[in-house]
Amino acid sequence: MIRSLLLVAGPSGSGKSRLTRLAAADGRAVALSLDDFYFDADHPGLPRWGEIVDWDDPATWDADGAVASLRELLETGRTRVPVYDISLSRRTGMHDLVMPEGDTVIVAEGIFAVDLIARCERSGLPVTPIWIDRPRAVTFALRLKRDLQAHRKPPLVSLRRGVALARHEPQLRAKAVANGFRPLGLDESVATIQRLS
């Protein structure tokens, strides 16, 4: 039995979650949302953006917990992960993530995947890193639509955050590529998952 780890990065709204749902639908992959490893809003020392927590800063996120879960999933085929409610800015429970029998790929996605790859490599985890590459205007529109429909944050906060993220996107992509992430479109990403599994 072979278990592979695909680390999926990309700007918020690029389709990372959609890719993991597509991958898990055929039973050859299991999806792990790295966003579930955010700290609660009242966690001490979180960085702030004006009057609100800066949820785009990696310090708002439990990287050690994410790596531990990925290692356990690769080694045992199961792990227990948090359930995070973005609208409440807190964890609301835990759930078991169990890999299906046979050769399987773990698709781990989240905005902090770019910062996680070095930890994975230092921990000896075999990882294939990809960056979901879409036009900036597309990710801006999809992100804003998603955030407004899901009532993730107040509309003005979603708009201001969206503009800031769009401005920062080229730097984030450059960092990802420098860290070894391969830029791929959604179709190419699905093909990569099929190849790994």
Side-chain angles (χ1 to χ4, degrees):
M1 180 185 305
I2 299 171
R3 298 183 180 121
S4 304
L5 171 58
L6 182 69
L7 196 57
V8 181
S12 177
S14 61
K16 298 182 300 296
S17 297
R18 180 176 172 214
L19 174 65
T20 57
R21 284 193 301 271
L22 289 171
D26 68 5
R28 292 183 297 177
V30 63
L32 187 143
S33 174
L34 297 172
D35 290 352
D36 283 335
F37 289 87
Y38 270 116
F39 291 121
D40 289 353
D42 57 0
H43 187 81
L46 293 183
R48 304 193 76 79
W49 185 52
E51 297 180 1
I52 64 171
V53 174
D54 182 2
W55 296 111
D56 300 304
D57 188 310
T60 61
W61 185 71
D62 182 10
D64 291 335
V67 170
S69 287
L70 288 170
R71 174 179 292 288
E72 187 175 32
L73 201 51
L74 282 165
E75 292 176 352
T76 70
R78 64 186 310 127
T79 191
R80 193 157 174 78
V81 296
V83 177
Y84 196 89
D85 188 321
I86 290 179
S87 66
L88 298 175
S89 299
R90 69 181 51 258
R91 296 178 182 192
T92 58
M94 300 288 288
H95 74 96
D96 292 317
L97 193 58
V98 181
M99 297 187 74
E101 293 296 322
D103 295 351
T104 315
V105 61
I106 302 162
V107 183
E109 62 83 16
I111 64 169
F112 298 127
V114 171
D115 301 292
L116 192 64
I117 188 168
R119 286 175 185 262
C120 288
E121 291 172 344
R122 282 196 304 269
S123 298
L125 301 184
V127 60
T128 300
I130 64 171
W131 170 270
I132 303 295
D133 213 19
R134 300 181 89 173
R136 206 170 3 160
V138 171
T139 57
F140 174 83
L142 291 173
R143 176 174 52 242
L144 186 60
K145 179 182 177 184
R146 176 203 65 196
D147 290 352
L148 293 174
Q149 287 179 339
H151 305 288
R152 286 184 162 201
K153 301 294 176 193
L156 185 57
V157 171
S158 294
L159 181 60
R160 287 172 53 202
R161 177 177 176 266
V163 170
L165 290 175
R167 287 181 179 151
H168 183 63
E169 193 172 313
Q171 294 94 323
L172 185 59
R173 184 186 188 280
K175 178 181 177 182
V177 171
N179 285 354
F181 283 80
R182 183 177 170 206
L184 297 175
L186 278 177
D187 290 343
E188 295 171 302
S189 300
V190 171
T192 299
I193 293 169
Q194 292 170 341
R195 176 176 54 79
L196 288 172
S197 60

